[in-house]
Amino acid sequence: MAVKIQLLRGIIATALLMGMAFPALAGWVQTERDGTKTLISDGKVKELPAEPDEGWLVMDHRGRKVLVFNPEQNTCSEATFSQYCETIEILTAAHQKALAAFEGDEEGHSPPAVEIKKRGSGGKIAGFETTKYQVYADGELYEELWLTTDKAVLSEVGDQSSLQDLFRCLHESEVEGNPAYFKMMISGWPLKTLSQEAGLMEVYTDVVTLIKTEIPPADLALPPSCRSVPLQESMENM
């Protein structure tokens, strides 16, 4: 009997230690109208894949790094924002070269003149107060956004200012690469984004629920069994 009691105590102690070692993190689960789900916690943002065999990416604002996982090949990569930017530039250049060879050379274009207009209250979305913005490119309405500045949400999103160089790198000649656009984006968290580019309306973000919950750290980390490879290899094969 004493042996059984000691064994039971050992099992309970182990369970408690595991719970202490891997506590759940406070965070948010965001669901959009099309079913897309995003986890937000401890400065990390991860859009959940629609299918189990799809790859995924975590933007770690506090760690200033990107985590990439390819489940088909069980490969993973961890890179700084600068490394991620360099990889995107390499892949984009290769894509543009192939496209130019197929369709003919295209001339580059200058960045548009960007104007941001704050339109005041955007009403409540998913239970959160929002501020509405309109973005103009060369005088034409380009995008409408509804951002929440709820402190509880932004504290889990983390410091987005770390994304400045990444934004500039990824969108150098586009609206999104403009400093005014970036300043607006990091002032809140987008709950609705409506593109009006070229007069064509398209919904990019349409949040219907944003629920506070506990998120296991493993849900925002690379699987321990994945094979580490260079970032470019991970992204080329996804």
Side-chain angles (χ1 to χ4, degrees):
M1 179 64 72
V3 173
K4 288 184 178 179
I5 292 175
Q6 289 179 352
L7 180 60
L8 180 59
R9 286 175 177 171
I11 293 172
I12 293 173
T14 300
L16 289 173
L17 284 172
M18 289 178 68
M20 291 171 63
F22 304 102
L25 299 172
W28 299 85
V29 176
Q30 173 178 291
T31 304
E32 297 186 40
R33 197 169 300 280
D34 64 0
T36 300
K37 290 185 180 294
T38 302
L39 303 182
I40 306 167
S41 179
D42 193 34
K44 301 180 180 69
V45 178
K46 173 186 178 182
E47 183 177 308
L48 296 177
E51 301 295 336
D53 60 346
E54 290 183 5
W56 49 258
L57 177 150
V58 172
M59 299 299 295
D60 183 350
H61 300 154
R62 289 177 181 156
R64 296 176 179 251
K65 60 185 178 182
V66 178
L67 309 178
V68 178
F69 176 58
N70 181 344
E72 284 192 354
Q73 301 181 0
N74 194 36
T75 58
C76 54
S77 304
E78 181 177 318
T80 64
F81 285 165
S82 294
Q83 292 168 332
Y84 179 68
C85 180
E86 291 170 3
T87 301
I88 292 295
E89 285 182 323
I90 292 171
L91 296 177
T92 300
H95 173 74
Q96 290 177 339
K97 183 177 180 180
L99 196 63
F102 181 74
E103 298 182 347
D105 293 333
E106 293 186 4
E107 294 183 3
H109 59 277
S110 301
V114 175
E115 184 180 7
I116 309 293
K117 293 186 178 181
K118 188 176 182 179
R119 296 305 192 186
S121 174
K124 280 191 175 183
I125 296 178
F128 294 86
E129 294 290 348
T130 66
T131 300
K132 182 179 178 180
Y133 292 85
Q134 288 183 318
V135 180
Y136 290 81
D138 291 333
E140 299 291 331
L141 182 60
Y142 174 82
E143 190 175 39
E144 294 180 290
L145 303 98
W146 288 257
L147 308 182
T148 181
T149 56
D150 186 271
K151 292 181 179 179
V153 175
L154 295 185
S155 67
E156 295 300 334
V157 171
D159 182 8
Q160 297 181 85
S161 64
S162 61
L163 297 172
Q164 184 168 5
D165 291 339
L166 189 60
F167 255 70
R168 188 181 300 116
C169 167
L170 300 182
H171 308 288
E172 183 177 5
S173 60
E174 304 169 10
V175 171
E176 292 79 4
N178 187 281
Y181 184 92
F182 180 76
K183 183 179 180 180
M184 172 200 64
M185 284 298 295
I186 67 171
S187 70
W189 179 253
L191 296 182
K192 185 174 181 179
T193 306
L194 188 63
S195 172
Q196 300 280 8
E197 189 175 7
L200 300 175
M201 187 174 70
E202 185 175 357
V203 178
Y204 285 159
T205 306
D206 193 4
V207 175
V208 290
T209 62
L210 185 55
I211 300 173
K212 192 169 186 177
T213 186
E214 291 187 342
I215 299 175
D219 288 356
L220 294 165
L222 294 171
S225 62
C226 67
R227 179 171 59 90
S228 180
V229 298
L231 180 61
Q232 185 171 338
E233 181 179 337
S234 277
M235 300 195 69
E236 283 178 335
N237 293 328
M238 287 176 64

